[in-house]
Amino acid sequence: MMTKSMKFLMLMLTLVVSVAGHAQKVNGEQTEINGLYYNLDYFDFKKNSRIFGEAEVTDGEKKYSGDVVIPATVTYGKDYKVARISMYAFYSCPDLNSVTIPNSVTSIGHGAFSGCWNLTSVTVPNSITNIEEAAFSLCTSLTSITIPNTITSIEKATFFACQGFKSITIPNSVTSIKMQAFSACSALTSVTIPNSVTSLGEMAFDCCSGLKFVSIPESLTDFDENVFDRCDSLITVVNLSKTPQNIPDGTFSKYGTLHVLPGCKAAYEAADVWKNFTIVEDANQPAEVIAVNDLIAAIGKVENTEESKAKITAARSAYDALTKEQQALVKNFNALVDAENAYKQFETTGIASVETKDSNKDGKYIENGNIVIVKNGKKYNINGQAE
């Protein structure tokens, strides 16, 4: 039986092998016009016919570089509408920085931009109705992309290992997210799946190591295996379905807090896999507020470490990004303030760690912004004086 690690490596190998053979031309001789290569009157294999009067951008003898602007039409004896970016057209162009795609283009082919490691910007118009498998895989410098609302399916490995993605907006037109579509997007921190998506493919978000927040819509009923496996930073899952979905073991590798709608907690506590979460009935709250509450709760013990500092900073940044109305809904804001005050005192006190809640047990705690030491049931200030 193939393990998830083997599947991950097999996909990597498949991408490398498939693109390695891309140099064999499938439409005959390419025509260079103003630095770009085209197939004129190209053959559409899906339609099994030649498309006269149209052109597709393809690869050529020279690698593309810099900032590329694809024209809507090209002239070579006559005018051709540029309607497609062919498979592997820009594959492994290490010096390519940006690409602007015109409204005339309707399709982006398999692996079209795969392995463009320094690509930072792509303009994708709403004319695009089809983005094929692995189109942007291994674009490690791409920090964001706009998926047009004409796309109905995010195909296999479309954004595989886009390690610069910090967020992604999935439009309401999308109904399925297929195998490893966003796998290994290690900088991705938040995903809201719209209420149009009905299925998630195997390992769709696997190995998104920075992912902290996921919102699952009521429409989503079909989970394949290991969808959120190896998402080791996952803190918050919001599930808007009143009925727990039947999901396979291994869908999650970490169980944080699951937020469900009021009245649904008992059903989730009785459901396989979902019962492993800490379940709270507040999914009717704004998702941004839920995320901040969980980020503050995840601070836990405040320590004089970079990890502790990063948790406090992340919680504060998320809180500050809320509207005033949303901030008023954050239940544990005082715990964030206490954690910030505790961390500030480390430089002068040398104390290694404190808890951010009151306690009668021996230890070091933060109360009203001050460090309190509890020993044998008695409280002392930082100077050792009994209260």
Side-chain angles (χ1 to χ4, degrees):
M1 183 176 180
M2 187 178 291
T3 67
K4 58 196 174 188
S5 296
M6 291 171 63
K7 290 175 183 177
F8 189 88
L9 293 173
M10 282 298 292
L11 176 62
M12 291 284 289
L13 181 61
T14 299
L15 290 173
V16 171
V17 171
S18 63
V19 295
H22 81 286
Q24 183 179 359
K25 308 303 180 187
V26 293
N27 283 315
E29 184 178 354
Q30 275 67 42
T31 302
E32 183 181 1
I33 304 173
N34 296 327
L36 292 177
Y37 295 88
Y38 300 91
N39 290 320
L40 305 177
D41 296 328
Y42 66 94
F43 190 85
D44 189 321
F45 286 93
K46 289 186 176 180
K47 296 180 180 179
N48 197 30
S49 63
R50 190 166 293 281
I51 311 299
F52 292 100
E54 293 188 359
E56 67 173 2
V57 182
T58 186
D59 63 337
E61 296 179 359
K62 301 176 182 177
K63 292 281 190 182
Y64 297 116
S65 62
D67 302 313
V68 171
V69 178
I70 300 172
T73 60
V74 292
T75 302
Y76 192 79
K78 65 176 184 178
D79 290 340
Y80 292 86
K81 174 186 174 182
V82 180
R84 173 175 163 80
I85 298 173
S86 74
M87 60 190 304
Y88 311 123
F90 292 88
Y91 164 69
S92 192
C93 293
D95 296 321
L96 183 67
N97 297 323
S98 70
V99 176
T100 300
I101 303 170
N103 284 319
S104 58
V105 174
T106 61
S107 179
I108 298 175
H110 186 124
F113 296 94
S114 180
C116 292
W117 297 287
N118 289 309
L119 182 65
T120 59
S121 174
V122 178
T123 301
V124 182
N126 278 332
S127 59
I128 300 292
T129 58
N130 182 37
I131 300 176
E132 296 179 6
E133 293 182 4
F136 295 96
S137 64
L138 303 168
C139 290
T140 55
S141 296
L142 195 61
T143 56
S144 65
I145 194 168
T146 300
I147 302 173
N149 58 15
T150 47
I151 297 297
T152 59
S153 177
I154 300 177
E155 300 298 324
K156 176 182 176 182
T158 299
F159 301 105
F160 177 83
C162 286
Q163 297 174 353
F165 277 5
K166 293 184 179 179
S167 64
I168 188 73
T169 300
I170 302 170
N172 287 320
S173 57
V174 173
T175 59
S176 66
I177 299 173
K178 296 188 176 178
M179 178 181 180
Q180 292 182 304
F182 294 97
S183 184
C185 292
S186 55
L188 190 64
T189 59
S190 175
V191 172
T192 297
I193 301 171
N195 198 37
S196 55
V197 174
T198 60
S199 66
L200 289 179
E202 184 176 359
M203 302 170 77
F205 293 92
D206 170 63
C207 213
C208 290
S209 56
L211 189 61
K212 293 180 173 66
F213 174 91
V214 172
S215 180
I216 297 170
E218 185 177 12
S219 62
L220 184 52
T221 57
D222 185 13
F223 284 72
D224 214 328
E225 295 181 351
N226 306 117
V227 171
F228 296 103
D229 192 24
R230 294 185 288 186
C231 295
D232 296 332
S233 299
L234 191 59
I235 297 171
T236 304
V237 176
V238 177
N239 196 331
L240 298 174
S241 176
K242 295 178 182 178
T243 303
Q245 300 93 339
N246 185 18
I247 62 176
D249 288 337
T251 297
F252 300 92
S253 57
K254 181 176 180 179
Y255 300 99
T257 303
L258 174 65
H259 300 264
V260 300
L261 293 170
C264 299
K265 181 177 180 180
Y268 278 89
E269 287 179 331
D272 288 342
V273 183
W274 297 115
K275 64 185 180 183
N276 297 326
F277 285 87
T278 300
I279 303 172
V280 181
E281 290 182 321
D282 64 353
N284 55 335
Q285 292 286 314
E288 298 86 352
V289 173
I290 292 173
V292 170
N293 279 324
D294 284 357
L295 283 171
I296 295 173
I299 293 172
K301 180 183 288 188
V302 180
E303 298 179 328
N304 194 7
T305 63
E306 287 300 317
E307 180 181 0
S308 193
K309 181 181 179 181
K311 289 180 179 180
I312 295 169
T313 301
R316 167 56 72 175
S317 296
Y319 177 83
D320 288 345
L322 299 177
T323 65
K324 289 184 178 180
E325 292 77 13
Q326 290 172 335
Q327 288 178 349
L329 297 175
V330 175
K331 299 178 294 186
N332 51 357
F333 175 67
N334 288 338
L336 172 60
V337 174
D338 286 345
E340 289 174 325
N341 289 335
Y343 196 85
K344 288 177 183 177
Q345 294 188 47
F346 286 140
E347 290 183 353
T348 55
T349 64
I351 288 180
S353 65
V354 297
E355 297 283 356
T356 58
K357 59 182 180 180
D358 297 344
S359 177
N360 291 320
K361 296 180 180 179
D362 286 3
K364 305 177 185 72
Y365 303 92
I366 189 77
E367 288 184 359
N368 300 319
N370 297 310
I371 291 178
V372 174
I373 300 170
V374 177
K375 187 174 182 181
N376 297 326
K378 294 183 179 180
K379 293 182 179 180
Y380 303 83
N381 64 22
I382 193 61
N383 297 316
Q385 298 171 328
E387 293 188 354

